[in-house]
Amino acid sequence: MQVLLQLGLSLVLLAPQYTTTAAAPSSQCQRQCGNVDIPYPFGIGVNCSLSKRFTINCTVQDGIHKPFRGDFEVLDISLTHATIRMLNYILGFCYNTSTRSMESVGRYGRRIQIRSGPSSPLRLSDARNKFTVIGCNALAFISDNDTGYQGLGVATCRDPLELVDGSCSGMGCSQTTIPNKIYNYEVGFSTFANTSRIWRFNRCSYAVLMEAAEFKFDVSYINTTKFNDTNAGRAPVVYDWAIRDVVRCDVARRNKTGTYACLSSNSKCVDSTNDQGYMCNCTHGYEGNPYLQDGCTDVNECNYNPCPSDGFCHNIIEEHWCSCRVGKRYVKQSNTCNPDTGFIIGVTMGLFGLMVFIVITIFWGQLIIQKRKLNKVKQEYFRQHGGLLLFDRMKSDKGLAFTVYSLAELIHATDNFDNSRILGKGGHGTVYKGIIKNMPIAVKRCALVDDRQKKEFGQEMLILSQINHKNIVKLLGCCLEVEVPILVYEFVPHGTLFELIHGKNHALQISFNTLLRIAHEAAEGLCFLHSYASPPIIHGDVKTSNILLDDNYMAKVSDFGASILAPSDKEQFVTMVQGTCGYLDPEYMQTCQLTEKSDVYSFGVILLEILTGQLPLKLKGSETQRSLSSIFLSAMKENNLDAVLVSHVKGEESMELLRGLADLAKKCLDMCGDNRPFMKEVADELNRLRKLSMHPWVRIDLEMDAESLLGGESTSGYEIELNGYPMGESENQPINPRSSYYAR
Ligand SMILES: *[C@@H]1O[C@H](CO)[C@@H](O)[C@H](O)[C@H]1NC(C)=O
Ligand SMILES: *[C@@H]1O[C@H](CO)[C@@H](O)[C@H](O)[C@H]1NC(C)=O
Ligand SMILES: *[C@@H]1O[C@H](CO)[C@@H](O)[C@H](O)[C@H]1NC(C)=O
Ligand SMILES: *[C@@H]1O[C@H](CO)[C@@H](O)[C@H](O)[C@H]1NC(C)=O
Ligand SMILES: *[C@@H]1O[C@H](CO)[C@@H](O)[C@H](O)[C@H]1NC(C)=O
Ligand SMILES: *[C@@H]1O[C@H](CO)[C@@H](O)[C@H](O)[C@H]1NC(C)=O
Ligand SMILES: *[C@@H]1O[C@H](CO)[C@@H](O)[C@H](O)[C@H]1NC(C)=O
Ligand SMILES: *[C@@H]1O[C@H](CO)[C@@H](O)[C@H](O)[C@H]1NC(C)=O
Ligand SMILES: *[C@@H]1O[C@H](CO)[C@@H](O)[C@H](O)[C@H]1NC(C)=O
């Protein structure tokens, strides 16, 4: 049979139900009571706490402010641990020698009953509290009527002398753990175990639920009435608090009607481990109050001196890092600053790297500046040579078969003007073979160095490019980015008329009629040049080495384009004699004026070369014997043509043909230009003379030519796949690179 003392007072800690409010607490709220901080969600007064359940009373006791929840004095409130510590009342049970009965001692008499309710934020901390009983014949109970929990604390002793300070394991003292989720409980003593027999050395027994860490058994507790009859004293007890109106964090986050309490950024929600509900916490690296807007602030880890004393601490968001003085290195494992052996090497390498960097930067900078300069120069030349004008024309005339090449393109096409690519070299400059888009081309790089500006160059190139005749080498384009423009021609593969006449092997193999045909074709080409534009385009450097031969040994007059590079003003004329020795119009020597008749004179010399097989100028001969034309003219005068004719021609060709040719040549070589025939007349005469030839194979040759002449001067329907170049070389070195220009 068990008899419990039924008397006692009920304590109602918290009663009414409130919903959480979203409103942030006013900054006016009192956050301290006495020495105790009252952080939100707790607060002094309703409007300063999360809800009424979190309110604290700050009352004055003995002249000092003390925080209270109900009858229980609050010691401290922790946000990080979500605990609140309060002073609990110790229950005493003593033998009164005068009344000879057992009496309960303490504020609440024989039995302490604490009732809150499941809606209370507080739960007894099962981890930190223990039900502690002291006595030599004590039996105390703790029970929770709501959950049916019942616990007992028993302390006995035979001889008080056996007791040891600090030891609480049943001898004079016992500690019992409690389960979690406890909010109501009551404590009382069993009347069976009374101290009526042992009151001489142990008059009182004590029982209290208290913070285990705060208790240390002292033997004197047994034989002293520690307190008087109305007050057995108080001991701290720990409660876990949480927001209990929702079950867990996820529910709280989803609950639209409720208010989620974790307001601060960098805060997180933590499920309560002691019954339902949740708490808030600042995330790692932050500290402060997660229940307030922006309550969590970065932890300044440096305040805790985490770095070595001779190092430096640097606080950053969520973390910190340590550094050391120059020459020392921070070692994380030992948290010390050690001498840095790599430092010297590092510094050296760093300086070296910096130097390399600077050198490279300067190098590249120079390169870029030079490249910019070069581009500027290129653009300037392009502009000077009338490139812009040319571009305008090319834009408006889409069908124009003329290309403005970039210097880079030509460098690529000719292997950077490699010597192995040279086709010919002369006073005019050098001609290279190039390949562009699998098409062979002849690239003429003029040697002329002349600082004059030729504004019309582009325009003139355009006119020349439009000349489309089967007996004239086609000008494909030019490059204006250089000081002296580079000309690009079609490539003509089979050498020059010069080589045909004066070459070692050719003279015998090539028939006189073929030479005649070639001469006729060349005359047609020159005739076309003269008649193409007004004023006429004058070749200016007609000679056998400028008559190229294509696959079918058809004549192609070349090098007319270079004439454009010739000087145009009077002063320059004085020093720049035009043409090639031996071909030079004597009249031009006096007037310095090139005319179409100058070309006719030069062509007369070509006819002489064909007739005589001799070079136009013999450097070895005596003064009168040097010039082929003077030799020829004197022979004609003496009526001794045979003396100059090439030997294999004499017997084979009709005398009428040879005499006709000689007469034509003589007319062409007239000292007075006006007396010379026009190129048209020369061409017609050659055509007539060719028909005099009586050899059957010559006739075939003739028919072939007649056919090809059908397309003659038309500018369409005639296409050549292989292309040629406009310059030959010979023993007759040109005096200067000039060939012709428009007549003025
Ligand atoms: C609390 O706030 C409400 C409205 O926000 C107000 O009506 C009430 O008077 C306040 N109570 C106290 C004690 O300040
Ligand atoms: C605060 O004191 C008042 C008046 O004494 C009382 O009604 C209320 O319950 C107390 N509240 C708390 C939390 O102790
Ligand atoms: C809050 O975080 C701190 C540090 O991470 C931790 O020690 C503490 O237990 C946490 N509190 C809660 C209620 O989870
Ligand atoms: C014993 O009881 C009497 C009568 O109630 C009281 O006056 C006295 O103070 C008590 N003695 C002790 C030591 O409690
Ligand atoms: C103490 O307990 C005994 C039985 O164990 C009982 O007989 C006695 O009356 C009790 N004394 C008091 C004062 O309650
Ligand atoms: C404990 O609970 C039982 C039954 O639920 C009830 O009879 C008894 O009165 C309760 N005791 C207290 C002190 O409330
Ligand atoms: C209580 O007991 C201790 C040791 O047994 C003794 O030293 C002390 O004097 C006693 N005190 C009283 C008041 O009896
Ligand atoms: C009992 O002790 C308390 C403090 O421990 C004291 O305030 C009170 O006056 C004492 N009462 C008596 C009757 O001695
Ligand atoms: C949502 O919150 C309100 C107010 O805090 C509470 O009454 C309700 O039970 C909550 N709902 C859920 C599903 O937890």
Side-chain angles (χ1 to χ4, degrees), residues 6 10 111 113 115 144-146 186:
Q6 290 294 324
S10 288
R111 190 170 175 148
Q113 189 180 52
R115 298 200 62 82
D144 173 17
N145 220 15
D146 281 14
E186 54 184 87

Side-chain angles (χ1 to χ4, degrees), residues 435-667:
I435 308 273
I436 279 189
K437 291 173 193 149
N438 288 331
M439 280 265 296
I441 52 165
V443 179
K444 178 165 183 177
R445 206 183 185 192
C446 297
L448 179 76
V449 178
D450 187 346
D451 56 1
R452 289 168 305 109
Q453 298 178 3
K454 298 287 289 177
K455 288 208 176 68
E456 315 86 8
F457 186 86
Q459 185 66 22
E460 289 164 358
M461 281 285 110
L462 210 57
I463 292 170
L464 294 181
S465 76
Q466 284 169 315
I467 295 173
N468 202 348
H469 189 271
K470 64 170 182 168
N471 295 122
I472 295 175
V473 173
K474 181 110 183 75
L475 180 69
L476 296 176
C478 62
C479 170
L480 302 176
E481 291 174 2
V482 279
E483 188 178 2
V484 179
I486 296 174
L487 308 179
V488 177
Y489 295 91
E490 66 172 323
F491 181 72
V492 182
H494 268 210
T496 66
L497 179 59
F498 180 88
E499 288 160 11
L500 217 55
I501 297 171
H502 308 292
K504 284 187 186 92
N505 303 321
H506 289 87
L508 296 176
Q509 288 161 10
I510 301 298
S511 73
F512 185 73
N513 282 285
T514 305
L515 293 178
L516 200 57
R517 175 178 57 79
I518 291 169
H520 175 227
E521 287 167 352
E524 292 285 357
L526 288 171
C527 175
F528 183 79
L529 267 188
H530 289 178
S531 61
Y532 183 77
S534 179
I537 300 169
I538 292 163
H539 188 292
D541 195 13
V542 174
K543 56 183 178 182
T544 46
S545 52
N546 272 344
I547 295 170
L548 307 184
L549 301 168
D550 75 356
D551 284 329
N552 302 317
Y553 284 93
M554 187 166 72
K556 280 187 177 288
V557 176
S558 78
D559 214 9
F560 53 89
S563 62
I564 304 246
L565 298 170
S568 54
D569 55 83
K570 282 269 157 57
E571 260 174 63
Q572 293 281 345
F573 255 53
V574 176
T575 50
M576 307 284 278
V577 183
Q578 315 301 314
T580 306
C581 286
Y583 293 94
L584 271 182
D585 175 5
E587 202 174 49
Y588 162 71
M589 302 291 262
Q590 290 161 3
T591 61
C592 272
Q593 193 83 341
L594 270 183
T595 67
E596 49 186 321
K597 294 296 178 67
S598 305
D599 282 353
V600 173
Y601 181 92
S602 303
F603 191 79
V605 178
I606 289 178
L607 290 179
L608 290 191
E609 283 180 84
I610 290 172
L611 278 170
T612 65
Q614 310 268 317
L615 291 170
L617 204 63
K618 279 187 236 165
L619 297 175
K620 284 170 197 146
S622 69
E623 215 161 305
T624 50
Q625 294 288 296
R626 259 188 198 176
S627 162
L628 182 57
S629 53
S630 55
I631 295 168
F632 171 79
L633 288 175
S634 63
M636 284 288 278
K637 217 172 190 177
E638 292 160 19
N639 214 352
N640 189 14
L641 186 58
D642 270 8
V644 293
L645 287 184
V646 63
S647 55
H648 68 96
V649 166
K650 282 183 217 165
E652 287 176 36
E653 302 301 332
S654 73
M655 221 36 220
E656 190 190 355
L657 169 62
L658 295 176
R659 188 151 292 281
L661 265 181
D663 281 343
L664 181 59
K666 189 180 166 212
K667 279 181 199 158

